[in-house]
Amino acid sequence: MATTTPRLNPVGESARRLAPDLARGVMLALIAVANSAVYLYDRPYGIRQHIVEHGAADRVASLLSMTFVDARAYPMFAALFGYGMVQIWNRRGDDAEGRRVLKRRSLWLLAFGAVHGVLLFSGDVLGVYGLVGLVLCRLLWVRDRTLLMIAAAWLVPGAVSSALIYSTPEATSERTFFWSFAVDDPMMALALRAIEWVMTPFGLMGVGAAALVGVWAGRRDLLSEPGTLVRRAAVWGPLTGALGGAPVGLIAVGLLTVSDPATVMALNALHMVTGIAGGLGYAAVIGLLAQRIGTRRGPVVTALAACGQRSMTCYLLQSVVFVALLSPYTAGLGGRLGSAATVALALVTWAGIVVVAELMRRSGVRGPAETLLRRLTYRRG
């Protein structure tokens, strides 16, 4: 009698672990801060395309953002992406269906990213994760040592691309990419976003290294069972990220002057590489926090985890709000708000979306984007 292989099904909410969802929910705040800064326009640009600020509050906000957020939030999400792929692989990764599911999920992420990037935010990361996922599909079974060696090697093109993209003379004085954010004509902005979305992976190449480390960590389930290594990462990761981000932050606010092009390139490369360490460290901190919380979840932790469970939907909602408020062809606040007010707007937007996610949880409603991705990924033939 012929036997059938059980289908690979998505994990239900009750079976999800706290640490990854809590990490996604919290770090969406930093994603909001990082993305909202791109919408500011009609002013001179400084290093890494951040606007030049003069007021005290705006300079402080810019310094903190460059030191602790810029190039630090997305690597953490990439690590969680790799971590999650391992969870799918472990459930049934040894058969053909498991491989097909992972590849199909990555291809649909790429499609989701294309729609998001062209219609709303050309700095979209979903498409980047889709591309990374296709690479990971071929690396999930390699040995740990090989995996980490590839991750280390991946840092080289990431550092080079960051150094080249952000270190031209024009890149430190005017907008040299993401032109659509300063265009008044919505149709012209739409056309430009299509071009910008294709360029975005070159500016986010470093996230591939973080995703590979996430795969390595997922094999050990380090976030759910953190030990000495995670405790060390929770200290040294954020510290490394802050030390590597501080020089660029000081340049951005005018407290440090660097005119040598080679030095600027080196600092941009350092900013990217240490951002990987910072993002991984943030994940380790939240993993330890989740371990301490255990089953004693209060309303805040529950709401943040609900946001993390619906992270793609919440990520897309952020873009909807920012386009409506900041774009020059809508409310146009991006041409008037400074860095401090924009950070406040980003955090308020994130908090509001967390509330929406919690209301969805209480109503038993999954995130629309997650639901669609699941249906497309776990389709039945």
Side-chain angles (χ1 to χ4, degrees), residues 89-240:
W89 177 259
N90 286 343
R91 283 162 47 220
R92 283 293 302 280
D94 58 342
D95 64 11
E97 185 191 359
R99 290 189 289 273
R100 285 196 298 268
V101 164
L102 290 172
K103 182 178 180 180
R104 194 158 58 234
R105 183 171 181 266
S106 297
L107 287 171
W108 279 115
L109 272 176
L110 184 59
F112 276 50
V115 175
H116 176 228
V118 173
L119 295 183
L120 294 171
F121 182 68
S122 54
D124 159 79
V125 76
L126 298 178
V128 177
Y129 291 165
L131 291 173
V132 170
L134 292 174
V135 175
L136 294 186
C137 285
R138 297 184 174 276
L139 297 177
L140 285 171
W141 55 83
V142 305
R143 294 182 302 173
D144 288 347
R145 182 177 179 181
T146 303
L147 198 69
L148 294 178
M149 289 176 63
I150 296 173
W154 201 317
L155 288 174
V156 176
V160 171
S161 66
S162 181
L164 294 177
I165 290 172
Y166 291 106
S167 300
T168 63
E170 294 80 10
T172 56
S173 60
E174 60 187 35
R175 188 179 283 269
T176 56
F177 50 90
F178 288 152
W179 312 279
S180 64
F181 293 90
V183 173
D184 294 330
D185 183 354
M187 297 309 297
M188 177 61 72
L190 181 70
L192 288 173
R193 280 196 296 270
I195 299 171
E196 294 164 1
W197 180 76
V198 174
M199 296 169 58
T200 293
F202 295 99
L204 292 173
M205 290 186 66
V207 301
L212 287 168
V213 175
V215 170
W216 177 83
R219 289 175 175 177
R220 292 157 177 76
D221 205 11
L222 291 182
L223 289 181
S224 297
E225 300 177 7
T228 302
L229 180 61
V230 175
R231 287 193 290 271
R232 290 176 178 173
V235 174
W236 291 106
L239 180 60
T240 301

Side-chain angles (χ1 to χ4, degrees), residues 247-286:
V248 169
L250 293 171
I251 293 172
V253 298
L255 295 177
L256 178 65
T257 301
V258 178
S259 57
D260 178 51
T263 302
V264 174
M265 292 180 68
L267 290 177
N268 274 314
L270 176 68
H271 188 80
M272 190 286 298
V273 173
T274 56
I276 304 295
L280 295 173
Y282 292 161
V285 169
I286 298 174

Side-chain angles (χ1 to χ4, degrees), residues 53-64 249 253-255 339-340:
E53 295 285 15
H54 300 287
D58 289 329
R59 294 175 71 194
V60 169
S62 185
L63 174 61
L64 293 177
V253 298
L255 295 177
S339 293

Side-chain angles (χ1 to χ4, degrees), residues 43-62:
R43 281 156 284 185
Y45 295 92
I47 193 167
R48 295 188 66 82
Q49 296 284 277
H50 279 244
I51 63 170
V52 177
E53 295 285 15
H54 300 287
D58 289 329
R59 294 175 71 194
V60 169
S62 185

